[in-house]
Amino acid sequence: MKDIQLYKAKLIFERQKLDNITGAVLRELESSAVVIPEGGEIAIATGSRGIANIAVIVRAVCDFVKSKGGRPFIVPAMGSHGGATAAGQAAILAGYGITEESMGAPVHSGMEVVELDNSGLQNRVYMDKHAWQSDGVILVNRVKPHTDFSGEIESGLVKMSVIGLGKHKLALEIHSFTAWGLANLLIPTAQRILEQNKILLGLAVVENAYDETALVRALPPENLIEEEKKLLKTARAWMPALPAEEIDVLMVDYIGKNISGCGMDTNIIGRMMIDELEDKPKPKIKHIIIDDLTEASHGNACGFGLADFMTKKLYGKIDFQATYENILTSTFILRGKLPMIADHARQAMDWSFRARGRLDPEKARVIRIENTLHLGEVLLSKALADELGGDGRIQIEDTPRALFNEDGSLAPWG
């Protein structure tokens, strides 16, 4: 196949951004009028993936609790992640910069749960034992569209209160109802959890299209669900998107749990790979190639089944036990099917073109991205650069660059 040259393009999205994140968090917490019991042990529940400035945000929450006379501690609220082990979840937090030393508060990571009353619900209900035995819980999470289902509530504080704080046991319980359970059981289960008066507050984070902290909101338990619905609409409006709807090949440098729950954000690539759900109407991508796995994923390559080709480099980094536990917990096993494994990115691209038959490299619609979380800069093939050159929301460089090094690996972005 003839070498493909790509053009760097900057995508211009709305860019509301907080300059003083610590100050914004402290103002929100103060204005919430949340009551911190004097000397009370307050669980700060956090740990969701890929949140910009998460260590700064959590540290500000810990400092606020201390200023009110409370004693904060950190609880990983991440369901089955980290191989569904206490050590694995503590390691994920540490990878985000959340440790006892950096937060000035201990980390209590455990998988033991307490079962709550589930009368009137279809599912059982659990809560992390450390959180349940605390004097109150503050949830910290980003609100965003989910990768597995659509609804008034998707990824955020509500989901964290259920699947996150419910640890592996409640993750298994909700996911046993497959995608229907995510769409229909989160809100009633969260309502039951909120009725226990254990959740003091939720701190919601919304990011802009550049993976930057755009706003934070302190949500009291009595308004948490309804206010999160509003924030989800904002988050959806601020999401980035690929610059084209019809794509022959999408080259993805990195997948990972810190990028998205399933390695790549399905809202960006359009693929769902869930039996009972259709793919999103756009974009339409013929082939997806994945080249590497982020270090912060700790070997969990959940979602590689969304791709058509992967490199041996990525394959060699997979912890299959952690990956399969995550995939089996979700029940979405199509996402765990292996793509074809190429020696390097160049071979994967060659295979993609072979599989397309008579696709002309000069007319191929190829996009390279760092990952699905960072779309501010992309690389476009000539056909797409020519097509999109007149779009005022896209700035395209004139000089093309090589896609591959001589050894077949991906060339630096430069």
Side-chain angles (χ1 to χ4, degrees), residues 1 3 22 67 90 96-97 99-100 111 150 157 194 202-203 257 271 280 299 321 372 376 389 392:
M1 184 190 77
D3 284 345
T22 296
S67 74
Y96 296 157
T99 64
E100 180 170 355
M111 302 306 292
S150 298
L157 299 170
L194 291 168
L203 184 70
K257 292 297 291 184
R271 295 183 179 183
K280 296 181 182 297
Q321 181 176 352
T372 58

Side-chain angles (χ1 to χ4, degrees), residues 141-190:
N141 201 10
R142 176 180 56 178
V143 174
K144 65 181 288 290
H146 202 273
T147 57
D148 300 343
F149 69 101
S150 298
E152 290 184 298
I153 290 285
E154 295 184 26
S155 185
L157 299 170
V158 167
K159 182 171 178 284
M160 174 173 275
S161 73
V162 179
I163 291 180
L165 270 184
K167 313 300 282 193
H168 192 211
K169 202 155 188 177
L170 192 46
L172 286 169
E173 179 75 7
I174 297 296
H175 279 292
S176 70
F177 293 87
T178 67
W180 180 91
L182 290 169
N184 293 278
L185 300 180
L186 285 181
I187 290 178
T189 305

